[in-house]
Amino acid sequence: MKHILIHYQEIALKGKNRYFFVKKLLDNLKKATEGLGVKDAREVNSRIIMELSSDAQERKLRDRVSKVFGIANFSFVHRVSNNIDVLEEAVLADVKANNSDFKSFRVKTTRGYKEYPLTSMDVDRIVGGLIQDATNSRVDLTNPERTIFIEILLKDACFYTEKIQGPGGLPVGTSGRVVCLLSGGIDSPVAAHRMMKRGCSVIFVHFHSYPYQSKISQEKVEDLTEVLSLYQNSSRMYLIPFGDIQKEIVLSAPAKFRIVLYRRMMMRIAQAIALKEKALALVTGDSLGQVSSQTLENMSTIENAVSLPIMRPLVGMDKIEIIDQAKAIGTYEISIIPDQDCCQLFIPKNPAIRTGIDEIEKVEQNLDIEKLISMGLEHTSLFKKT
Ligand code: ATP
Ligand code: MG
């Protein structure tokens, strides 16, 4: 198997933008498979074919490619001439050499090259007949034990028996850049992953209360950033000390408003970073009604602090659904490590569940908002994963 054949579905629908999408997908694939033995990757008849060297690392390639958004499915394939005599010989030789031990089978041909002189059904029949004669298995079109896929391309043909599910979505980088507020919790990494899946490259921002609290949350978000980078190749995360900002809020505002005020400050600082990074939106892991800061009233009070749109890809999801996602993408085990979130610092007993913008703005008159934003930005450190 010296090639990987990749199908992209959604991109094919994108009309004029198609070229841009395929190019991004190719770039992302090349980066994701660097060092694993890919000699060449190019588009052929609305597919991507990657040519592998003899020492290519198949297991790792499988794992990496399955995380590249924009891919519907992919396969490790044999690639031969599309001359029917050569093709049937090659398929038969492979069946005999490796996998003739099946009771039923079907051949399923598709043609990327539509001018090919034989129809797909012709090829099915010719190659199927040959396999039937050479083995003891029968043709079963509805529930075969083995399917032999053949794809006819312009200059050659590919055949294979396994289709590996891709992650779907759009290639990262085709929808622009966003800034995701990443806590050490379960939800925000899943939110970031969702945005990547829709083609966004995601920059992370984390607020911590070190030295008032431990460094664990910072270590966790670094680990989370590493895992999430598997889906977008490289990442940047801004670590922002938030404890002194929280102290100022605690000194000048009623306790019940603290959480909403913390959040509004986080949004403003994240927005400043977004503008610097030319990002078009902010992303959070909010899920409606999950905690006191996630009521509709508080979400809109928090949102009101900034002008950039806030994306909340998990807003309609239950915690159980989010946890399943977190497990599937590999962030859950990191997220559940106990830590001290900065919002637990000076947390009030009874946070206000329904705040209004007027009362919050009144309270904020006692705060020097611009100074607090600068305090956050000044002491920022950057974590990079390339
Ligand atoms: P998560 O599991 O993502 O922490 P949560 O259910 O704990 O979410 P909150 O703590 O209310 O909910 O946080 C809501 C959202 O606000 C988070 O999903 C995240 O986007 C953002 N957020 C909260 N704390 C931080 C932080 N310390 N740094 C960056 N973003 C944060
Ligand atoms: Mg949290």
Side-chain angles (χ1 to χ4, degrees):
M1 302 276 193
K2 290 285 165 284
H3 296 84
I4 301 178
L5 176 69
I6 293 161
H7 289 118
Y8 40 83
Q9 264 168 356
E10 200 163 354
I11 304 173
L13 306 173
K14 288 279 170 182
K16 266 193 238 155
N17 286 334
R18 203 179 149 282
Y19 170 78
F20 168 64
F21 278 71
V22 175
K23 185 166 178 323
K24 263 280 181 252
L25 179 57
L26 264 170
D27 287 349
N28 293 349
L29 270 166
K30 283 179 194 166
K31 275 191 216 138
T33 56
E34 231 163 48
L36 300 180
V38 175
K39 284 203 287 196
D40 181 60
R42 66 182 63 212
E43 189 198 0
V44 180
N45 295 125
S46 302
R47 292 140 171 88
I48 286 173
I49 296 192
M50 299 210 291
E51 191 183 344
L52 309 181
S53 60
S54 54
D55 59 351
Q57 303 178 47
E58 265 197 36
R59 286 256 296 285
K60 277 192 184 163
L61 280 168
R62 190 183 171 115
D63 187 47
R64 295 274 177 84
V65 172
S66 68
K67 292 186 172 65
V68 177
F69 289 122
I71 296 176
N73 58 68
F74 65 100
S75 302
F76 288 87
V77 303
H78 294 284
R79 193 175 180 190
V80 294
S81 155
N82 65 16
N83 176 292
I84 188 67
D85 297 331
V86 177
L87 175 61
E88 62 181 37
E89 277 306 311
V91 174
L92 195 63
D94 184 60
V95 166
K96 282 183 183 162
N98 298 312
N99 37 14
S100 56
D101 190 23
F102 45 86
K103 291 194 179 61
S104 63
F105 77 100
R106 77 173 293 191
V107 177
K108 199 165 181 221
T109 305
T110 48
R111 298 182 315 165
Y113 169 49
K114 302 288 181 202
E115 281 74 47
Y116 191 67
L118 298 170
T119 66
S120 298
M121 269 173 37
D122 291 339
V123 180
D124 289 350
R125 242 180 266 122
I126 295 169
V127 180
L130 213 62
I131 294 172
Q132 209 170 8
D133 292 344
T135 63
N136 290 321
S137 55
R138 65 189 161 78
V139 173
D140 180 346
L141 296 183
T142 48
N143 191 22
E145 196 178 312
R146 166 87 25 100
T147 301
I148 294 154
F149 298 95
I150 297 178
E151 299 197 21
I152 306 286
L153 307 176
L154 176 64
K155 295 201 177 114
D156 41 31
C158 296
F159 65 91
Y160 55 96
T161 54
E162 188 192 7
K163 254 189 218 281
I164 305 160
Q165 176 87 40
L170 301 168
V172 168
T174 56
S175 299
R177 194 175 278 180
V178 294
V179 163
C180 178
L181 287 85
L182 189 69
S183 69
I186 295 169
D187 305 332
S188 40
V190 177
H193 180 266
R194 289 254 148 162
M195 296 306 290
M196 291 175 193
K197 181 166 181 175
R198 296 313 300 166
C200 292
S201 27
V202 181
I203 290 166
F204 303 108
V205 175
H206 174 69
F207 298 88
H208 64 84
S209 304
Y210 183 81
Y212 301 101
Q213 286 177 321
S214 77
K215 267 198 155 165
I216 298 174
S217 81
Q218 291 180 65
E219 290 158 13
K220 280 175 69 178
V221 287
E222 286 180 10
D223 290 348
L224 287 168
T225 300
E226 299 229 0
V227 173
L228 290 166
S229 294
L230 295 171
Y231 302 91
Q232 66 169 2
N233 291 323
S234 65
S235 301
R236 285 201 298 285
M237 178 180 52
Y238 290 84
L239 291 154
I240 297 169
F242 202 57
D244 288 333
I245 297 173
Q246 287 176 281
K247 261 169 81 182
E248 298 248 352
I249 291 172
V250 167
L251 287 175
S252 65
K256 63 176 179 174
F257 293 137
R258 277 177 201 163
I259 302 253
V260 168
L261 294 169
Y262 292 168
R263 285 275 189 278
R264 279 168 63 89
M265 279 316 301
M266 284 186 186
M267 288 297 168
R268 292 184 178 109
I269 294 168
Q271 174 168 267
I273 289 169
L275 295 177
K276 182 176 138 214
E277 288 278 2
K278 299 196 168 49
L280 301 172
L282 305 177
V283 178
T284 73
D286 291 326
S287 158
L288 187 58
Q290 203 186 78
V291 289
S292 73
S293 60
Q294 296 172 23
T295 60
L296 280 180
E297 290 86 348
N298 282 350
M299 278 199 223
S300 64
T301 310
I302 291 165
E303 184 167 278
N304 189 276
V306 289
S307 55
L308 276 183
I310 299 178
M311 307 273 142
R312 299 180 180 89
L314 313 186
V315 76
M317 287 171 78
D318 291 344
K319 194 75 186 183
I320 290 176
E321 293 171 302
I322 300 171
I323 287 173
D324 284 347
Q325 281 281 310
K327 287 179 179 166
I329 65 176
T331 53
Y332 181 74
E333 294 302 325
I334 303 169
S335 292
I336 58 171
I337 296 169
D339 69 352
Q340 298 174 304
D341 185 75
C342 69
C343 294
Q344 292 154 7
L345 191 61
F346 316 123
I347 195 153
K349 268 212 191 83
N350 296 306
I353 291 172
R354 300 178 211 293
T355 55
I357 188 64
D358 290 344
E359 58 183 348
I360 290 294
E361 279 181 348
K362 207 161 147 207
V363 172
E364 279 185 347
Q365 281 170 4
N366 302 326
L367 290 164
D368 185 345
I369 300 288
E370 289 310 315
K371 187 191 89 183
L372 295 183
I373 295 176
S374 310
M375 265 166 68
L377 293 173
E378 257 166 42
H379 301 287
T380 289
S381 61
L382 191 60
F383 173 79
K384 283 187 191 173
K385 169 74 190 143
T386 48

